Amino acid sequence: MDRLSATNAFEGARDDISMQLSLIWAQIKAPLLVPLLRIAVFLCLTMSLMLFIERVYMAVVILLVKLFGRKPEKRYRWEPMKDDVELGNSAYPMVLVQIPMYNEREVYQLSIGAACGLSWPSDRIIIQVLDDSTDPTIKDLVELECQRWASKGINIKYEIRDNRNGYKAGALKEGMKRSYVKQCDYVAIFDADFQPEPDFLWRTIPFLVHNPEVALIQARWKFVNADECLMTRMQEMSLDYHFTVEQEVGSSTYAFFGFNGTAGVWRIAALNEAGGWKDRTTVEDMDLAVRASLKGWKFVYLGSLKVKNELPSTFKAYRYQQHRWSCGPANLFRKMVLEIVRNKKVTLWKKVHVIYSFFLVRKIVAHIVTFVFYCVVLPATVLVPEVTVPKWGAVYIPSIITLLNAVGTPRSLHLMVFWILFENVMSFHRTKATFIGLLEVGRVNEWIVTEKLGDALKVKASNKVPKKPRFRFGDRLHLLELGVGAYLFFCGCYDIAFGKNHYFIYLFAQAMAFFIMGFGYIGTFVPNS
C-alpha cells in the first residue's frame, strides 16, 4: 500500500512539473517567440528571394552568352604571338611566374616542374619560387629542386624571407620588390599545387598585349582528385558552378570578377596602379581585383583554359579553407564598401554589381540564409506551429536554386541530395566566418595554409605495412556540428509526434549529415604516422 501511494505521488509530481513547464513555454511562446520567429521568417524569405533573383539573372546571362557565342576571343582582340626577324625574342614581353609556397612537401616538385615546363622564349621568362617554409628539411628540398632546374638552363630564382608577415600577400609583395622584376611586363601566379599546361602563356598573354585596358586573365581550375572521396565530389559541384556561371557572368557583363588567387596573369602596371598586394584581409586576391576594377581596369575569364590543381580532401583542411574564403570577403566588404560608393572612375551600375551582387548576395546573404533559414528557422517552426513558412519559400525557391547550381557539374546530378545536405552543414561554418569578418573579431585574420596531400597517401600505402590508425578523440569530434544535429533531430521527433508539415523527412536527413560530419566521418582520413 505504501509503495503504491509513493508511486502515485511520484507520478503526480511529474505531471505537475510537466504542466508547469507547459505553462512556462506557452507564456514565453505567445508574446516573445512567435513575433521573433515571424520576423526571422520574413527576413529569411527576403534573403531567399534576393538569392533566387541573382541565380535566375546569372542563368539568363549565361544562356545568352552560350546562344550568341560571346567568347573572349570575339569580345577582345586576340592574335597569336608572332616571331619578329629584326627584334628576335625581344618582341616577346617579359613574363614573371610566381609560385608562393609554405611547407609544401607533397606538391612542390609538381608546381615547380610545371612552371619550368611553360613554353615561352627562355630569355623572356623568370620563374620565382617564394618559399615561406618553416620546416628546414622542406626548405632544403625546394632549394635543391630550384637548383636542379637552374642547371638545365631555366631562369629560376629561389627567394626566402626571415618572417611570414602578410602570409601569401606578404610573400608576393616581397617578390615584386626584386630588381629583376622591373624588366617584367606581366606576372603569372600559381599556387603550389597548380600545374599549368605548357601553352598557358601562349593562350593568355596575347589578350594583355593586344588589349591595353585589360589587367587580368583568369583561367579555370581543373581538379585532379575530384573522385578521391564524396567530399571532393561535393567541392567540385560548388566550384564548377562558380567557374562555369559566376566568373563567366562577371567577365561577360561588367568585365569584373574576383581573382581566384592563382592560375591567372596580371599586367604589372595595373597591379602597381591598384596599390599592389595588401595583407589587410585573408583574401588578398579579391582585394587586389576590387581595387584594380575601381581604377577602371577590365578582367577576362577564359573558361576554356584549365589548370590542374588539388582539392582539400581532409575535413580539417576544408574547414580552414572555407573559414578563410567566407571571413575574408565579408571583412573586405566592411573595409571597402564606402570606397566603392565614393569611387568616380566606374559607372553606377558597376558599383551596384560589385556591392549588391558580388559582395552582399553571393558572399554574405548566400551563406547566412542557407544556415539560418534551413537549419534554424525552418526547424523552429515545427516547435512553434503558429508560425508557418509558405510552400514557395520552403520548397519551390530552394529547389530551383539547387537545380540552377547543378548546371556546373552534370555528371554529379545523382549526388544532388548529398550536396544539399553537405552544403547546409558547411553553411554553418561559413555563416560563423561571415559574421567574424563583418564584425572584425576573433579569427578574422587567421591564415592556415590548406593542406595538400598530393600522392602522399598512395606512397604511404605502398611503402608501409598497414596498421590500425590511432584515434585522437579531439581531432575528429566537432561539438558544434553535433549540437546542431541534436537540435534538428529533436525537431524531427517533435514533428512526427505533433507536426503536420512532414518536415521530419528533411530534418532527420540533415541531422544525420551534421552527425556524420560532427564525428569526422567525411573526407580522406590520414593515419597518424
Side-chain angles (χ1 to χ4, degrees):
M1 190 71 179
D2 291 340
R3 185 180 297 173
L4 183 62
S5 60
T7 303
N8 289 336
F10 174 75
E11 289 178 351
R14 187 181 63 187
D15 291 340
D16 287 342
I17 293 171
S18 298
M19 285 181 65
Q20 287 176 6
L21 289 174
S22 298
L23 285 170
I24 293 170
W25 171 248
Q27 288 173 352
I28 293 174
K29 186 168 69 169
L32 183 63
L33 294 182
V34 171
L36 286 176
L37 194 54
R38 280 184 178 144
I39 293 171
V41 168
F42 172 77
L43 292 175
C44 287
L45 289 174
T46 301
M47 289 191 288
S48 290
L49 279 171
M50 291 168 66
L51 187 59
F52 173 72
I53 293 168
E54 178 70 11
R55 289 286 193 266
V56 171
Y57 156 73
M58 288 195 290
V60 171
V61 171
I62 207 72
L63 187 63
L64 292 174
V65 169
K66 299 297 181 184
L67 283 175
F68 293 101
R70 283 176 54 81
K71 294 181 179 179
E73 292 83 354
K74 292 183 178 180
R75 298 199 310 272
Y76 297 92
R77 186 184 168 198
W78 189 93
E79 294 176 6
M81 303 292 294
K82 297 177 182 177
D83 292 332
D84 190 305
V85 179
E86 294 182 3
L87 295 175
N89 284 348
S90 61
Y92 294 89
M94 195 75 179
V95 179
L96 174 71
V97 179
Q98 290 186 313
I99 311 173
M101 56 177 60
Y102 172 74
N103 292 342
E104 306 282 2
R105 179 190 292 270
E106 312 300 346
V107 293
Y108 74 93
Q109 286 180 308
L110 293 174
S111 58
I112 294 174
C116 292
L118 287 170
S119 175
W120 198 253
S122 59
D123 60 338
R124 306 301 291 171
I125 185 171
I126 302 172
I127 312 296
Q128 186 186 64
V129 177
L130 304 167
D131 189 13
D132 269 1
S133 299
T134 52
D135 186 323
T137 303
I138 298 175
K139 227 170 188 174
D140 291 341
L141 289 171
V142 175
E143 186 174 11
L144 282 171
E145 184 69 9
C146 292
Q147 290 173 357
R148 187 171 74 85
W149 282 102
S151 67
K152 294 181 179 182
I154 300 296
N155 188 0
I156 185 168
K157 310 289 186 182
Y158 176 72
E159 304 288 359
I160 59 172
R161 51 188 186 140
D162 56 8
N163 60 71
R164 286 194 68 214
N165 294 342
Y167 304 108
K168 180 181 174 181
L172 292 169
K173 185 176 181 179
E174 196 66 28
M176 294 300 291
K177 292 179 180 178
R178 297 295 182 261
S179 58
Y180 54 81
V181 174
K182 293 178 182 178
Q183 59 186 305
C184 297
D185 304 291
Y186 310 114
V187 55
I189 301 167
F190 300 102
D191 281 351
D193 59 310
F194 278 70
Q195 305 165 54
E197 295 295 331
D199 66 345
F200 180 88
L201 295 177
W202 295 113
R203 296 177 65 180
T204 54
I205 297 297
F207 280 104
L208 295 164
V209 170
H210 300 303
N211 302 277
E213 76 279 13
V214 172
L216 166 68
I217 309 297
Q218 173 70 60
R220 181 174 174 173
W221 298 0
K222 180 182 179 182
F223 313 110
V224 296
N225 65 329
D227 294 322
E228 184 172 330
C229 61
L230 186 60
M231 192 182 81
T232 52
R233 285 292 290 272
M234 302 297 101
Q235 292 178 65
E236 181 193 37
M237 293 171 73
S238 299
L239 287 170
D240 274 354
Y241 177 81
H242 167 69
F243 285 106
T244 305
V245 179
E246 290 180 346
Q247 298 293 73
E248 191 71 70
V249 168
S251 178
S252 302
T253 53
Y254 297 94
F256 166 78
F257 50 82
F259 173 45
N260 294 119
T262 177
V265 187
W266 277 92
R267 185 186 300 275
I268 292 179
L271 192 152
N272 291 334
E273 186 188 344
W277 294 103
K278 293 187 178 181
D279 58 5
R280 56 181 174 174
T281 70
T282 56
V283 282
E284 72 295 320
D285 42 17
M286 187 182 294
D287 189 346
L288 175 60
V290 174
R291 284 184 282 114
S293 181
L294 294 179
K295 295 288 184 180
W297 291 97
K298 293 182 178 181
F299 306 158
V300 177
Y301 170 68
L302 288 182
S304 60
L305 179 59
K306 300 178 181 180
V307 180
K308 292 187 289 186
N309 72 297
E310 182 182 329
L311 291 164
S313 56
T314 65
F315 186 42
K316 180 181 179 181
Y318 185 57
R319 285 177 71 193
Y320 282 132
Q321 182 199 68
Q322 291 304 296
H323 173 86
R324 191 172 77 242
W325 285 6
S326 303
C327 178
N331 190 231
L332 183 63
F333 177 70
R334 171 192 169 113
K335 285 178 161 68
M336 290 202 70
V337 63
L338 292 179
E339 184 180 338
I340 297 169
V341 170
R342 293 171 186 154
N343 185 275
K344 295 179 180 179
K345 282 194 174 183
V346 297
T347 64
L348 175 63
W349 286 112
K350 189 165 186 177
K351 290 181 186 180
V352 170
H353 171 72
V354 175
I355 293 174
Y356 177 79
S357 296
F358 182 76
F359 274 117
L360 187 62
V361 178
R362 299 183 204 170
K363 309 300 181 187
I364 297 174
V365 166
H367 302 325
I368 294 173
V369 73
T370 303
F371 175 69
V372 174
F373 192 20
Y374 302 114
C375 299
V376 178
V377 173
L378 193 65
T381 61
V382 171
L383 306 177
V384 186
E386 293 88 343
V387 180
T388 57
V389 177
K391 191 170 285 187
W392 61 263
V395 179
Y396 300 144
I397 281 184
S399 298
I400 295 171
I401 290 174
T402 301
L403 289 173
L404 291 175
N405 271 289
V407 301
T409 319
R411 80 182 187 104
S412 298
L413 275 173
H414 62 292
L415 298 174
M416 191 54 61
V417 172
F418 296 104
W419 179 78
I420 293 168
L421 299 175
F422 174 79
E423 282 294 294
N424 286 350
V425 176
M426 290 311 303
S427 70
F428 169 57
H429 295 287
R430 293 171 186 147
T431 299
K432 186 173 64 172
T434 298
F435 280 115
I436 288 173
L438 286 173
L439 300 175
E440 208 165 40
V441 295
R443 298 162 55 199
V444 66
N445 289 316
E446 180 184 68
W447 180 286
I448 297 176
V449 174
T450 305
E451 179 187 24
K452 303 298 190 307
L453 299 180
D455 293 325
L457 287 180
K458 296 176 186 176
V459 172
K460 286 178 182 177
S462 60
N463 292 347
K464 291 188 177 182
V465 177
K467 62 179 181 179
K468 188 176 179 180
R470 287 178 291 173
F471 175 75
R472 291 183 180 177
F473 195 70
D475 287 349
R476 293 184 59 186
L477 195 66
H478 308 291
L479 297 179
L480 292 175
E481 283 94 333
L482 294 176
V484 177
Y487 164 71
L488 292 169
F489 186 79
F490 172 76
C491 291
C493 294
Y494 191 92
D495 192 43
I496 287 180
F498 308 106
K500 297 178 182 178
N501 294 320
H502 302 293
Y503 284 164
F504 65 87
I505 299 171
Y506 158 72
L507 292 171
F508 284 144
Q510 191 62 67
M512 188 61 66
F514 270 98
F515 285 140
I516 290 171
M517 296 172 78
F519 284 112
Y521 285 101
I522 188 167
T524 301
F525 176 64
V526 183
N528 295 312
S529 56

